[in-house]
Structures are given as structure tokens and as C-alpha cells.
Amino acid sequence: MIPKLVFFDLDGTLAESKQPLTDEMAALVARLLAVTDVAIISGGALGQFLKQVVERLPAGAALAHLYLLPTSGAMLYERDKDEWRKVYEERLSEKEADTIATVLREAAAETGLIDFTKPAYGERIEYRGSQVTLSALGQEAPLFLKKEWDPDRAKRRALRENIAERLPEFSVSMGGSTSIDVTKRNIDKAYGLRKLCERLRVNEPDALYVGDELVAGGNDEAVFKTGVETRSVSGPEQTQRLIETLLD
Ligand SMILES: [Mg+2]
């Protein structure tokens, strides 16, 4: 039985960090869209989803079955005719974003893990409306550098703990391979999953979540708070095999 709704994490699951879907993956996602609803949830902003996923899908893909949850579920977009329509957004005010940015710099200094006086690959702190993201090496850092920065998650764990202690009124989670995401309190992947299940009237156990960090402290950990079924993958290649199994 194919799940009524399949959620995918993006980076490390459907694609390599910030890379576009491969042709093969795009074709598989399109085949899945033909038979069930598909949602993608990740810390990135909407533009990142369009570039990495939507623009890669073959012509004629059933976009009406695709749901996009940028900024870890703090926003939901659905397809309405030829547009992506925002269903909700849990926005942070600019004042809240400023407070968060100050704390991110303090935590970076106190842990000694990020030196803001050194140049970065693009901005280290980005305000994405519903989320503020700290990227240790900068938003545009090359993939190989990101991969070697924190392979055992120890740096992100230390940063996350330090930041969470200073910001008890917000949710603080590990983002991608070098990043920490801050959103409104209790706004996380679990929130996004629940909101979409409710909207589509899908019982949580009839939905499936696929992610590469379904572990304690991992970027997909919040999903365990829901009743959604989970499947852990090691990377895009395993995700492809899983989609093939679902389609069989
Ligand atoms: Mg991931």
C-alpha cells in the first residue's frame, strides 16, 4: 500500500546539500506525484525549493499533488493553478530576528566554533521571515567544505545547546551540515507535518516521512513527536531505491 502522503527531507535525502535533484530522482518524484501526495520539508527558503526541486521536475508533473514546507515547516505552500500559494507562515518579527542574530553571534564566540572576524562564503546569518539561520561557513560555502566541517555533529550540538539556553522562547534545531535554525517556539518539522496532515485529512500513521537525520539531535528528530511513520535513509541513492519500492 502506498502511503497517502509522503514527506521528504531535502538536503541529504532527495539531493546533496543545496544541489538540484538529479534527473533520475526528479523522474522518480514525478512518478510518485502521479499516484500520491508528496511534501518536501526543509530549513531552506522557498527559492531554494524551487531551484532544487520544482524546476527539476519533468514537464507535466502533477504539481497539484506537491506541497512545499520551507523553513522547517514554519511555512506551507500549495499549488494553485500556475502559482505557489502560501497557506500559512509563522513569521518572526524583525525585532525577534535581531535578538536572535545577537545571540547567534554570542554563542559563536563563547563556543569558539565560528570566528565572525574571518571572511565567509556569503552571509553567516540569514533572516528567512519565519526562521533565522546560522551557517558556520556562510550560505554559499562549497559542498566539500560543508561536509568536512562537522561530520559527527559535535559542533552543531554544542552550538545548538548554547543557543537554546539563551533563547528559551524559541525553537532551536540543527539545520543542514553546517547550520542552526531558529524559529518560533514549537514551530518545527513536527508542526509542519501535523498542519499538512490536518489540511489533507490524512491520519498521521497513513503518512510516511523519509529523512537522513532521524536520530537524536538530528535535523529530522522532531518528526518522532508525530504519529507519522518514518524511514531513515543514508542519502539520495537510498531514497531512490525506497521510492522505487513504494512504486512497486
Ligand atoms: Mg537532511
Side-chain angles (χ1 to χ4, degrees):
M1 269 275 290
I2 199 145
K4 289 194 175 141
L5 170 60
V6 185
F7 289 94
F8 291 98
D9 164 58
L10 181 49
D11 289 339
T13 299
L14 280 181
E16 297 289 351
S17 179
K18 297 214 170 173
Q19 302 303 302
L21 260 59
T22 61
D23 289 342
E24 254 184 308
M25 182 66 90
L28 281 167
V29 171
R31 283 177 59 200
L32 199 55
L33 282 168
V35 292
T36 194
D37 284 331
V38 172
I40 298 168
I41 183 162
S42 152
L46 179 68
Q48 199 64 38
F49 282 59
L50 300 180
K51 208 163 45 178
Q52 278 181 266
V53 183
V54 177
E55 290 168 12
R56 299 288 305 144
L57 294 174
L63 297 181
H65 290 177
L66 182 62
Y67 297 84
L68 307 175
L69 292 138
T71 56
S72 310
M75 304 166 94
L76 167 63
Y77 285 86
E78 64 184 16
R79 193 72 175 177
D80 182 16
K81 300 191 182 80
D82 289 336
E83 280 177 4
W84 291 101
R85 195 175 67 83
K86 194 194 291 175
V87 177
Y88 71 78
E89 176 177 16
E90 300 291 346
R91 242 185 128 71
L92 292 166
S93 69
E94 297 214 358
K95 187 162 169 279
E96 286 173 315
D98 285 346
T99 306
I100 292 166
T102 304
V103 164
L104 294 177
R105 286 171 174 274
E106 287 168 1
E110 192 178 279
T111 57
L113 290 170
I114 304 171
D115 184 352
F116 271 83
T117 65
K118 295 231 172 88
Y121 297 89
E123 292 299 319
R124 281 197 176 94
I125 294 179
E126 193 186 23
Y127 172 44
R128 296 174 179 168
S130 42
Q131 178 173 291
V132 178
T133 296
L134 169 65
S135 300
L137 306 175
Q139 294 290 331
E140 315 296 337
L143 186 59
F144 77 97
L145 282 181
K146 291 207 276 189
K147 280 199 160 176
E148 66 189 26
W149 187 71
D150 187 27
D152 61 358
R153 302 193 180 94
K155 290 179 183 165
R156 279 171 292 166
R157 200 170 290 136
L159 279 167
R160 200 208 74 82
E161 273 171 27
N162 189 300
I163 296 162
E165 242 170 65
R166 293 164 188 265
L167 292 173
E169 63 276 36
F170 297 94
S171 277
V172 184
S173 56
M174 277 191 212
S177 48
T178 61
S179 63
I180 301 289
D181 296 327
V182 183
T183 56
K184 278 193 177 175
R185 189 160 174 75
N186 295 324
I187 304 297
D188 55 16
K189 286 192 172 180
Y191 178 85
L193 264 58
R194 287 190 184 123
K195 290 284 273 192
L196 186 57
C197 284
E198 265 171 43
R199 184 167 181 82
L200 301 180
R201 297 200 177 83
V202 171
N203 289 321
E204 289 179 10
D206 294 332
L208 175 69
Y209 181 91
V210 183
D212 68 315
E213 292 203 48
L214 283 158
V215 291
N219 160 271
D220 303 310
E221 185 188 13
V223 172
F224 291 128
K225 293 191 279 184
T226 71
V228 171
E229 294 288 322
T230 57
R231 286 290 290 277
S232 185
V233 292
S234 55
E237 276 177 28
Q238 214 182 341
T239 306
Q240 283 188 12
R241 288 196 294 274
L242 173 64
I243 298 175
E244 282 161 358
T245 315
L246 291 175
L247 288 166
D248 262 346

